[in-house]
Amino acid sequence: MKYGARNKLKATVTSVKKGDVMALVKFQVTEPGEMASVLTTESVEELGLKPGDEIMVFIKAIHVMPVKE
């Protein structure tokens, strides 16, 4: 299966809570994966980012897509 989402983590479903219309699915990340971010050069310079830096990554997205192969 091929898809365009590149920021992916391996995870295990830990719970499923079903409602009438929506369901809440919780995951435990089991294998860190490589992630990517596009930001302005000004932001990179202000943060002083360079290879080897240890940072925190906050994921701001409207979609988390579970994929079961």
Side-chain angles (χ1 to χ4, degrees), residues 13-68:
V13 176
T14 57
S15 69
V16 177
K17 184 177 181 180
K18 295 179 184 178
D20 291 338
V21 177
M22 301 289 289
L24 172 64
V25 180
K26 292 189 178 182
F27 312 95
Q28 177 68 48
V29 174
T30 57
E31 182 179 312
E34 185 174 292
M35 298 187 76
S37 178
V38 176
L39 58 157
T40 65
T41 301
E42 182 178 23
S43 293
V44 171
E45 291 171 353
E46 284 180 15
L47 292 167
L49 294 177
K50 62 187 179 308
D53 286 350
E54 290 191 17
I55 61 169
M56 291 184 67
V57 176
F58 292 86
I59 301 168
K60 179 184 174 187
I62 60 170
H63 300 289
V64 174
M65 301 177 295
V67 175
K68 185 175 180 180

